[in-house]
Amino acid sequence: MARSTRVLLACLMTLAAACTPSAPTFKGADVTGAEWGGDLTLTAHTGVRASTADFRGRVLVVFFGYVNCPDICGPTLAKLAGLRDALGPVADRLQVVFVTVDPARDGPAELAQFLSRFDASFVGLTGSAEEIVAAAREYRVVMSPAPAPHGHADHAAAASRPLVPIDHTGTMFVKDPAGKLRLLWKSDTTVADMLHDVRLLLGQAA
């Protein structure tokens, strides 16, 4: 091949690379390929067992918190409700799952009442202390104090005891419609940035 031809081909390849748009980037932290953050099967706020695998085909946001959380839980859920509003006609392609880190107090009835303040589509999950500890471990969520290792809680008895604040990871875990963990959102992520990421994930699934 003549030198002039090689130079021309190199220039054309460089031009093509320059003209090819780069892949869109996410606003949240991209954790594509993570080997943690798998499916959870717990008791839903409806009282029946439910799995995050039930929501294949939707972008799934998993958030750990608790009903009596004094700071980030309420504002975060309100923000996620705002995200569903912003999605408009495709809002049903987003599912929010709230996993309690306080199973002794947060039974199905307590979760149902709490989540009704934000969005009727939100799903709450609870379970035994052991199940919640395992779920938190799967998502690398830190809780302090962690639930005491015992079986199903007596929620009425727990409610009569003094509240002890639970420090917990405030990260939101975002899974694509195929059920793969893709993104982490911080509690201060804006609705606009969330909307950007959800649209990208839905576009990739189209």
Side-chain angles (χ1 to χ4, degrees):
M1 183 183 295
R3 182 175 183 279
S4 59
T5 302
R6 290 198 300 270
V7 171
L8 178 59
L9 285 174
C11 290
L12 289 173
M13 291 174 66
T14 301
L15 182 62
C19 293
T20 302
S22 58
T25 56
F26 293 107
K27 302 295 185 180
D30 192 334
V31 293
T32 299
E35 296 182 356
W36 48 279
D39 285 319
L40 303 176
T41 300
L42 294 163
T43 301
H45 69 279
T46 56
V48 301
R49 297 292 280 182
S51 171
T52 52
D54 297 338
F55 306 114
R56 292 288 190 270
R58 308 179 204 178
V59 171
L60 178 65
V61 181
V62 180
F63 176 56
F64 288 74
Y66 64 112
V67 168
N68 292 296
C69 178
D71 40 39
I72 66 171
C73 295
T76 298
L77 290 170
K79 190 180 296 185
L80 290 170
L83 172 61
R84 273 184 53 86
D85 289 342
L87 282 167
V90 295
D92 286 344
R93 297 192 66 190
L94 174 76
Q95 181 63 55
V96 173
V97 169
F98 179 75
V99 184
T100 183
V101 297
D102 189 11
R105 293 177 183 274
D106 297 348
E110 289 78 15
L111 286 173
Q113 183 178 21
F114 178 61
L115 294 175
S116 69
R117 302 184 212 164
F118 303 101
D119 192 285
S121 74
F122 288 2
V123 171
L125 294 179
T126 187
S128 69
E130 292 87 350
E131 288 176 319
I132 295 303
V133 169
R137 186 180 299 119
E138 176 62 27
Y139 279 77
R140 300 184 177 180
V141 168
V142 177
M143 301 178 291
S144 178
H150 54 72
H152 292 283
D154 180 342
H155 303 294
S160 68
R161 296 195 295 268
L163 283 172
V164 177
I166 301 173
D167 292 329
H168 62 91
T169 302
T171 302
M172 290 167 274
F173 304 89
V174 186
K175 307 183 85 169
D176 65 21
K180 302 297 184 182
L181 181 62
R182 299 291 301 277
L183 300 170
L184 305 180
W185 288 337
K186 296 180 179 178
S187 59
D188 61 355
T189 302
T190 65
V191 171
D193 284 352
M194 292 177 178
L195 183 62
H196 168 90
D197 287 351
V198 170
R199 284 175 171 165
L200 280 183
L201 291 173
L202 290 176
Q204 290 176 1

